[in-house]
Each structure stands twice: as structure tokens, then as C-alpha cells.
Amino acid sequence: MKLSPMLKATMLLITLCLAFLPSCSESTDDRFPPYDNTAEVEAFWKSKPELFQWKTPADLPTDLKWETGADVPEFGDPAAKKGGTFHDYHPTFPATYRVVGPDASGTFRGEHHDQVMIWMATRHPDQDAWIPGMADAWAYSPDKKTVYFRLDPKLTFSDGTPITVEDFFMTFYIMLSPHIQDPWYNDYYSKEFKSITKYDEHTFSYTLKENYPDPMWKVADVQPMSRKFYKEFGQDFPARYQWRKSPTTGAYDFDPEVDVKRGRRITIHRVKNWWARDKKHFRYIYNVDATDYRIIASQDKAFELFRQGQLDFFIAGLPRYWYDKAEIPEIYKGYIERHIFYNEFPQVSWGIRINESKPPLDNLDLRIGINYAMNLQKVLDVDFRGDKTRMNTTEAGFGKFTNPAVKARPFDVVKSREHFAKAGYTKPGADGILMNASGKRLSFTLTTFNSGTITPIMLRLKEEAKKAGLEIIVEGLDTTQLYKKLNQKNHELGLAGFGAQPPYPRFWDDYHSDNAYKTGPDGKRTVVVDTNNLTMTADPALDPIIDRHRKAATEEEVQQLSWQLSQLIHDRANTIPLWESSNYRYFSWRWLRWPKTGNAFHSQMPLDARMFWIDEDLKRETQQAQKDGRDFGESLQVHDSFVKPR
């Protein structure tokens, strides 16, 4: 998906006001007079004939080999039952309902957009194959720069509006506009695409500027943007659309006026007469009628509500939940089942990002010293009890594209102090913290989640770092504040984890200078906010290699450049990789059912593939068993059928 993966935020005070105080956010549309941009949009399209092209079916190449994925096995479980409400939680109320622009890539966007939208062609979750999505068929030009699509004739937005090619034209109009205040999308759509061409209402093509090993990865998840919904798109877009919910291609949607209790919960509902409900590969997923997300900041509180049966599901990756809090009758008696699922998917790039724009963190020796001062092994042994391993590079999990020679720096007080000395920090203070010749202490603030699970880990790193003469001040913020500070590049050290997407690592988002600084007409350089370059890396020697990687035409070139970049970024020492795991763990009440295989092999987390369902009969049986004291027996389900023997 074309997401600068995670973490965009602006205007914290307005966000908090609108998100948590209904009195200052009601009737926001009353502030904006009606507006119709139809003429402007069409004029823009006509002004760029090289990008927006109109042709006829007779102009389609006659030798196209249309693919349909007809021979690819269906996924999902035919035994899945439709219906019911899935009860889950979310730590924060969203800062906006927009899917682009300031604050749009905050935490809830996945639940109402990224995880439910349908791609043009979808990657099969268990096999390396493309299957139909919004398009029933697709074809490639001989040079693979152009990908042709035939849209499913039933395709509609969640509001029932039919989707046509012009809705994809509208996507380009919006994504190229400075009004969205989202430079990542501006860059992507201007640099990757040469043209979008309409042949009829349901047939069109994308032509890319470069060759890629598989161009489908570049175009499959481009979403149509409703001309009807965005007809008021203009200069005031971020404010005008702040609390408007755009229609989606997916199975679920919500009405802000009906399904939202501001600051407390959001309920997404199945789209009535959803266009793909009977479509192969979709008929056995998206099974529940609704998902009710309660806003619960405390993970411990969420667990207690889960234990009471008010939530159906709970991620249990942390040992304190998997071991300690699992010592309860509900698990002993089998009312709650435990699951371990071994998957294959790029790892979330959990790491501590060191902001090079904050002196003295622009000193390489200082950054290397900080790396050596982090006792991650103790965290893995004590906090994770050996269940996780050290992530060596934030490009972990990409198979042959992950450089096996790059190893994270271990905890080493001697090496840490050696590098601190090279940076000028040689004199210990009364508390052991090093100082430089001018008396400046070796002290930095680590901005992190204010979480009962993450904060203790950061405090452990703080205590261990003292042995190397480094003071870490742990600053715990709620999710909205954390994203705000990181995206504004106001942190010194910041904890962040970006969701990754196959098939290749992405370096441009995190380390290209375009995402750190921009130079104005007056030659003045300013910080670029709302990007993933949290380290503020701006290296003129690194940029050309990243650009080559982004345009690589073969997998051999992608691999070679991925390895080279991984080593160069490691040498820069501005990202401290944290932890990874070959599986994920979760608890679910026994009425929440999963396919026999447990889930999709290529899933990052349990809910991603939406393969689960609710069995109301089992729910009634379980609730009655609780009253009667009936025991089903403890259930631990290990799903490893996809793991290849070694």
C-alpha cells in the first residue's frame, strides 16, 4: 500500500480539542460553504495530457494476455459463519477520519481503511500469486511498464456509488495537490507514474516511469477516490474534511453521526449489499456484521475487560500477559483459548530513532556510543523472557533482501565509553554521568509510549545506560502526543515501529533527505514534517543509492542495493534495532473461530486477513458453561502448518 508507513500528525491542540471535546467539534461542516470543484478537476486533467489520457477499447493492444487468477486456490474457511459483533479495543480516539493529510496515518486508519480496503489485484495470503480484487482481470505490456485492468462491473463505493475510471483519475488529482499537506504522496504520485489511461468506464491502465521486477506491487493498492465525496476538495481540505468519513471499497464502513461516541468508541458495520460479498476469495472472510472498538488507553484495563468477556480477543505477545495473566480459571477451563501462529511477513521495524538534527546527536561517535549503551539483551532475557530475539536491522523479515552480515551492536560499556570519549565526553559527574569539557552532561530524552508494558522496558534501558555514563530521560506520552512530537521531528531519541510491506525493504521513506529537509526559493532549508525520516538523515552520498534502489528493475539489483543500504545505515548508527519474533500470540474466547490453519501465512498480525468469525451457538454454550462451572479443558493451539521443515 502506498502508505508512508505510519505516524503523521499536526496541530496537537486542535486535534485534542476536536477529538475529545464534543462541544468544540460538532457541526464542523457548518463552517464551510458548499463548493463544487468539478470544473477545476476537469481543467487540471486536460492541462496534463501526458498524465491523463483518454482512448477507446480499439486502442488496447491486441496481444494482451489477460490474467484472472482463476487457478489460484481460494482462501478462507467455508465453515465460517456470517453475523455477530466482534468486540475489540483501540488505545486512542483518531485525530481525524481523513485517510490522507495531517494526522491521517494515525493509529485508527488501519481499522477503517487500510485493513478493509480492496486492492486492484490482491496478493494471496498463503501463496505467491495475485488474485482478483477490484479488477477481474489484468495484463502487462511486454516491457512491464504498463499494467492494464478491467474493473469488476459490480464495483461500488461503500455508499453505493458505482466506481468508474474517473474515480482513479480523481485519486491522482488529489494526491498531486499541495492542498493535502502530505509530501510523501505528492512525491510518490509524481515520480512513479507516467500516465493513467482510460479505455472505457471499466478498463484503464497505469504506465510507470521505470521498470520494476513486478510492477503490480506499485499499482495494486492505489485506491479510487470518489468524485462525489471529494467534490469540495480544495485549499481548505485538511479542515473541511477533518471529520468526514470517505467511502471505501471494503466490506466495512462507519457513519460518524451514528457509529461514533467521541472519545469512547467507534463501531464499523458491514456495508449493505457489499459488491464483493459473493466474490471468490472474499466470500469466506469479513464474516462479522460489525466490529465495536472501545477506546481504552490502558492495556491492563483492556485485558480485564477481555477476561470479563466484554472483548473477544487480546494480543498476548508480551510475557506478562502470555504467562502471568494467563493463570486464570477462564483459560484453565477452556473458555479462553491461547494461540501461537508462525507467520512469514516483514517485521515491524521497532527501533529507537536518533534525531541527527539535534546537536550533539549529529556526532557519529556519540550515536555509536549510544548504540553500545543499550542493553537490549537484558530486555530480551528479562522483559521478554527469551520469547523474542534481537532485531539486527530494521529491514528484517524480507528474506533474501535482508542483509545477513549486518548485526546490531551489543551492549558494551567499554566500547560505548570509547566512542563517548571521541565525542568529547570524558569526565564523570558525581552521579557517574559523563560530561564534556564545557560541563555539558551526556543526557538525552527518549520519547516513548506512556504504556504499562513499554515504559518499564525503556526504564530498564535507562538504568543500564548509566553504566556507560549515559543519562536517558524517559518521556512517556500518549499515542497522539507521541506521533505529534516524532512527526514534527522535535524528539532527540524516539521509539517507533513502522509497519512493513512485502516484497522489498523501503529506504526512501525513512532515510532520504527529501523526507528530512526542503530548500525554498530563497535557498533556506527547512524541516519536512509528517514523514518517516525520524532520524533526519540527509546524506548526499546516500540519496543516489536510495534513488537507484527505488527504481531497481531486477530483484538481483534490489537485493544488492538493499544489502548495501542496510550496511550504510548501520554504519550511520542513527537507528537502534530492538526486537523481532517468528510468531505472534493471542487469546480469544472460544466462540471466536479461525480456519484450521489458524490464519493466513502472510499476515503480520492475527486480524489482518479478517478470516475469523463468531459462532453464536458456541458463545451461548460458553456463557452457560461459566454459570454451571463446566470445564472444556485448557486449549493451547500452535499453528505451524506453514513452517517448512529444516
Side-chain angles (χ1 to χ4, degrees):
M1 62 193 82
K2 303 302 169 287
L3 312 178
S4 177
M6 305 291 188
L7 309 185
K8 297 179 182 290
T10 56
M11 306 186 305
L12 177 60
L13 293 179
I14 295 176
T15 294
L16 293 177
C17 174
L18 294 177
F20 297 106
L21 299 178
S23 61
C24 63
S25 64
E26 292 175 350
S27 304
T28 54
D29 282 355
D30 293 344
R31 296 180 291 129
F32 304 103
Y35 176 65
D36 191 335
N37 60 21
T38 302
E40 296 171 21
V41 172
E42 293 179 353
F44 179 81
W45 290 345
K46 292 177 181 178
S47 72
K48 295 184 177 296
E50 74 288 352
L51 177 60
F52 300 100
Q53 300 183 11
W54 283 262
K55 297 184 179 181
T56 70
D59 295 314
L60 284 166
T62 57
D63 58 349
L64 291 178
K65 296 180 180 178
W66 291 94
E67 300 179 24
T68 63
D71 297 332
V72 181
E74 188 167 10
F75 67 93
D77 194 329
K81 297 181 179 180
K82 300 292 185 181
T85 297
F86 175 60
H87 299 276
D88 200 0
Y89 83 101
H90 200 270
T92 59
F93 192 83
T96 181
Y97 300 150
R98 284 183 283 97
V99 297
V100 66
D103 302 316
S105 287
T107 55
F108 195 73
R109 169 178 163 156
E111 281 71 12
H112 76 83
H113 182 72
D114 304 337
Q115 295 171 17
V116 299
M117 69 182 187
I118 306 301
W119 288 18
M120 189 65 67
T122 299
R123 198 66 175 174
H124 194 286
D126 295 335
Q127 300 188 13
D128 292 326
W130 293 104
I131 55 179
M134 287 187 288
D136 276 345
W138 57 93
Y140 303 92
S141 63
D143 63 2
K144 286 202 168 182
K145 281 191 175 181
T146 301
V147 187
Y148 301 85
F149 293 104
R150 287 177 176 164
L151 296 176
D152 186 318
K154 296 180 181 179
L155 180 63
T156 66
F157 285 110
S158 51
D159 63 0
T161 304
I163 296 175
T164 63
V165 174
E166 273 81 4
D167 292 305
F168 292 90
F169 277 41
M170 189 67 174
T171 298
F172 280 74
Y173 174 76
I174 291 173
M175 293 305 190
L176 292 171
S177 172
H179 300 332
I180 62 174
Q181 299 181 26
D182 202 325
W184 191 94
Y185 287 101
N186 293 162
D187 180 273
Y188 189 89
Y189 279 80
S190 64
K191 289 184 177 178
E192 297 289 350
F193 295 91
K194 181 179 180 180
S195 64
I196 175 172
T197 303
K198 175 183 176 179
Y199 296 94
D200 61 34
E201 289 301 311
H202 296 93
T203 308
F204 72 105
S205 66
Y206 294 118
T207 298
L208 300 168
K209 291 183 178 180
E210 306 290 341
N211 289 105
Y212 297 101
D214 185 349
M216 187 65 81
W217 285 109
K218 291 289 183 179
V219 301
D221 59 346
V222 174
Q223 289 292 292
M225 302 185 85
S226 169
R227 289 168 295 161
K228 174 183 174 182
F229 178 79
Y230 286 105
K231 71 177 183 179
E232 294 184 15
F233 176 87
Q235 189 171 2
D236 60 1
F237 165 71
R240 182 183 288 261
Y241 280 84
Q242 181 80 0
W243 299 111
R244 297 187 188 183
K245 172 64 180 68
S246 61
T248 178
T249 57
Y252 298 100
D253 203 356
F254 71 88
D255 182 342
E257 300 298 323
V258 177
D259 300 320
V260 175
K261 293 185 178 179
R262 201 168 280 276
R264 290 180 288 169
R265 70 194 327 140
I266 299 177
T267 304
I268 63 174
H269 294 276
R270 187 198 308 281
V271 174
K272 186 178 181 181
N273 298 321
W274 182 47
W275 65 274
R277 63 180 180 179
D278 299 319
K279 192 179 180 78
K280 181 182 177 182
H281 299 299
F282 295 100
R283 56 186 173 178
Y284 301 136
I285 62 175
Y286 303 112
N287 298 304
V288 298
D289 286 340
T291 299
D292 179 49
Y293 294 98
R294 295 179 61 170
I295 308 303
I296 305 172
S298 167
Q299 198 169 6
D300 284 342
K301 179 180 178 181
F303 180 81
E304 289 306 314
L305 292 174
F306 166 71
R307 182 181 177 181
Q308 297 169 20
Q310 296 188 48
L311 303 179
D312 298 314
F313 167 88
F314 190 85
I315 288 287
L318 293 172
R320 66 193 300 258
Y321 295 106
W322 186 253
Y323 301 114
D324 303 341
K325 289 184 175 292
E327 303 290 332
I328 54 176
E330 291 85 355
I331 287 180
Y332 293 151
K333 295 184 178 182
Y335 308 145
I336 294 174
E337 300 176 336
R338 297 192 297 163
H339 298 259
I340 303 176
F341 186 86
Y342 288 85
N343 65 336
E344 183 177 287
F345 205 87
Q347 296 286 308
V348 173
S349 59
W350 286 111
I352 295 174
R353 270 69 178 184
I354 302 176
N355 189 343
E356 294 186 22
S357 71
K358 302 290 186 182
L361 294 172
D362 54 347
N363 183 291
L364 176 59
D365 278 303
L366 191 64
R367 297 197 301 271
I368 293 176
I370 293 174
N371 273 256
Y372 280 122
M374 296 290 147
N375 195 347
L376 265 298
Q377 192 57 51
K378 189 166 186 178
V379 168
L380 296 173
D381 293 340
V382 177
D383 296 280
F384 289 113
R385 306 183 197 181
D387 289 347
K388 294 185 182 295
T389 56
R390 181 73 190 273
M391 179 180 282
N392 287 305
T393 166
T394 50
E395 300 82 54
F398 285 93
K400 67 180 181 180
F401 304 108
T402 298
N403 189 340
V406 174
K407 302 296 181 184
R409 295 174 178 87
F411 179 62
D412 190 320
V413 171
V414 174
K415 289 184 178 180
S416 182
R417 287 180 176 270
E418 286 177 356
H419 285 281
F420 287 151
K422 291 179 182 179
Y425 291 84
T426 57
K427 182 181 179 181
D431 58 357
I433 302 303
L434 295 173
M435 297 183 293
N436 63 12
S438 62
K440 180 176 175 58
R441 288 165 59 83
L442 188 60
S443 176
F444 302 101
T445 297
L446 171 56
T447 303
T448 181
F449 297 95
N450 183 18
S451 160
T453 55
I454 295 298
T455 301
I457 292 174
M458 299 300 109
L459 290 175
R460 188 178 306 283
L461 292 177
K462 168 189 172 78
E463 291 304 310
E464 293 296 307
K466 290 180 181 178
K467 299 174 183 178
L470 170 65
E471 179 182 52
I472 295 177
I473 301 170
V474 177
E475 177 187 41
L477 302 178
D478 69 34
T479 306
T480 300
Q481 293 174 313
L482 173 66
Y483 290 172
K484 168 64 64 178
K485 186 166 185 175
L486 297 185
N487 278 292
Q488 295 296 308
K489 317 297 175 71
N490 289 330
H491 62 289
E492 292 182 318
L493 312 181
L495 173 67
F498 296 134
Q501 178 186 301
Y504 317 121
R506 290 161 63 167
F507 296 92
W508 184 84
D509 304 56
D510 295 4
Y511 298 107
H512 198 283
S513 60
D514 284 356
N515 292 315
Y517 299 100
K518 64 180 177 181
T519 303
D522 57 357
K524 184 178 180 181
R525 193 171 75 160
T526 58
V527 171
V528 177
V529 299
D530 297 327
T531 73
N532 285 3
N533 191 343
L534 303 184
T535 60
M536 292 298 288
T537 303
D539 187 342
L542 194 63
D543 287 347
I545 306 173
I546 294 176
D547 290 334
R548 285 169 53 204
H549 178 273
R550 189 177 182 184
K551 299 177 181 179
T554 67
E555 288 203 339
E556 290 72 19
E557 187 179 7
V558 174
Q559 181 183 39
Q560 183 266 320
L561 292 171
S562 293
W563 286 25
Q564 181 182 1
L565 285 167
S566 185
Q567 184 64 59
L568 290 171
I569 290 166
H570 171 80
D571 294 343
R572 200 173 188 88
N574 59 13
T575 302
I576 305 172
L578 297 181
W579 47 75
E580 62 178 335
S581 176
S582 62
N583 61 67
Y584 50 72
R585 304 185 301 207
Y586 55 99
F587 299 148
S588 62
W589 282 85
R590 66 188 294 269
W591 57 73
L592 193 66
R593 309 309 299 162
W594 308 82
K596 293 180 181 179
T597 55
N599 214 324
F601 186 32
H602 301 300
S603 59
Q604 190 173 69
M605 295 300 287
L607 304 181
D608 292 354
R610 301 281 167 168
M611 300 173 76
F612 60 89
W613 68 93
I614 292 173
D615 189 316
E616 297 289 355
D617 293 332
L618 282 180
K619 187 171 186 177
R620 286 188 289 270
E621 179 186 56
T622 304
Q623 291 171 337
Q624 187 61 48
Q626 286 182 279
K627 296 177 181 178
D628 299 340
R630 180 182 169 190
D631 191 332
F632 296 109
E634 190 170 353
S635 174
L636 170 61
Q637 300 183 29
V638 179
H639 308 286
D640 58 359
S641 59
F642 291 107
V643 178
K644 298 177 181 178
R646 296 181 178 179

